[in-house]
Amino acid sequence: MFRKLMLLGVCVAPFLFSAQEAGSAPQPKVAVIPSVGYAWRLAKTPSGITNETKNYIKGLKSGVDVSIGAYYLLNGNGAIGLKYSGYFASSDGRLTVAGPNGQNVSGFVSTKDNISFIGASYMFSNFKEDTKHKLFYDISLGVITYTTKTGTVKGTGSNVGAEINFGYQYALTNQIFIGPKIGMTGGTLSKMKYNGTTVNFGEEEREGLTRLSLSAAATFRF
């Protein structure tokens, strides 16, 4: 699904923007785009678990999403740069698990999750056009990293990741735009380290990191 959305974005983006030439006035060459919003992880919740566990996992499947991209504006409507995004979620609750002697053990646990992405990015926009209504999309490829901590147990893992965003902004000035942005960040882990010990996941046990985000974004041009 994520790959299809990226391919669709690449194919249709050239038709979303005007091909008019920019005016003779000097144009800013750098754009910095920070954003903050909310995101939802799209991995399925495991079946056959208790309601307590479901509620606990639900708390980790949505959280704060932040990002920042810095771009050098090329001639025309393209730009290249670097992109960072981060996802932060936490959950508290009482979980029940089977102990080594077969008896159920219940206890209060607290987990903090962080998913970070950093990579090279390409952006296509109509920032140079003489209009108050700005559109852009960006595609990034890089490294996605997952960190989860429950009590004294810390798990980490990383892999190749990708991100795509579409945004609409209104130009307050020639240098400052604001508006909503929708994005998707994708990646999967086949192994993680827990307190230094590597655990390999089976095909059906892989950690899905894909998330959908909705944010408020601002563009500052220099």
Side-chain angles (χ1 to χ4, degrees):
M1 179 64 178
F2 183 68
R3 293 178 180 175
K4 291 180 181 178
L5 286 173
M6 290 187 68
L7 180 60
L8 178 62
V10 172
C11 292
V12 305
F15 301 100
L16 298 178
F17 303 99
S18 169
Q20 298 174 3
E21 293 293 331
S24 58
Q27 288 285 340
K29 299 301 292 183
V30 176
V32 177
I33 308 177
S35 72
V36 60
Y38 213 67
W40 300 264
R41 292 182 62 177
L42 303 182
K44 293 182 179 179
T45 301
S47 59
I49 58 178
T50 65
N51 287 331
E52 285 182 330
T53 304
K54 285 182 180 179
N55 291 332
Y56 184 76
I57 293 175
K58 184 178 179 180
L60 297 172
K61 293 193 68 173
S62 60
V64 175
D65 187 274
V66 298
S67 74
I68 186 167
Y71 297 92
Y72 177 77
L73 303 173
L74 305 171
N75 293 332
N77 292 322
I80 55 174
L82 293 174
K83 181 71 176 291
Y84 162 83
S85 67
Y87 169 86
F88 304 89
S90 62
S91 186
D92 303 320
R94 180 170 293 278
L95 297 183
T96 302
V97 297
N101 58 359
Q103 294 181 339
N104 289 334
V105 179
S106 179
F108 181 84
V109 293
S110 177
T111 298
K112 293 183 178 180
D113 278 4
N114 168 230
I115 302 173
S116 62
F117 169 85
I118 187 167
S121 184
Y122 175 81
M123 180 177 70
F124 196 88
S125 73
N126 69 341
F127 288 172
K128 298 178 182 179
E129 304 301 334
D130 186 19
T131 175
K132 291 286 188 180
H133 304 283
K134 305 298 184 179
L135 298 171
F136 74 89
Y137 88 92
D138 64 60
I139 295 178
S140 308
L141 183 65
V143 176
I144 192 167
T145 302
Y146 176 47
T147 302
T148 181
K149 187 173 183 180
T150 303
T152 60
V153 179
K154 182 179 181 180
T156 59
S158 61
N159 203 351
V160 174
E163 183 168 300
I164 184 170
N165 294 276
F166 295 89
Y168 163 81
Q169 295 181 319
Y170 183 80
L172 300 178
T173 70
N174 191 46
Q175 287 78 33
I176 302 176
F177 318 145
I178 59 172
K181 173 176 71 72
I182 186 169
M184 186 175 286
T185 307
T188 303
L189 299 182
S190 59
K191 62 180 179 180
M192 289 183 65
K193 282 187 176 181
Y194 293 92
N195 288 359
T197 301
T198 300
V199 177
N200 294 291
F201 302 140
E203 188 70 27
E204 300 299 324
E205 301 172 331
R206 293 185 177 184
E207 185 70 44
L209 305 180
T210 300
R211 70 181 188 271
L212 178 69
S213 62
L214 182 62
S215 310
T219 296
F220 302 93
R221 298 201 301 162
F222 307 93

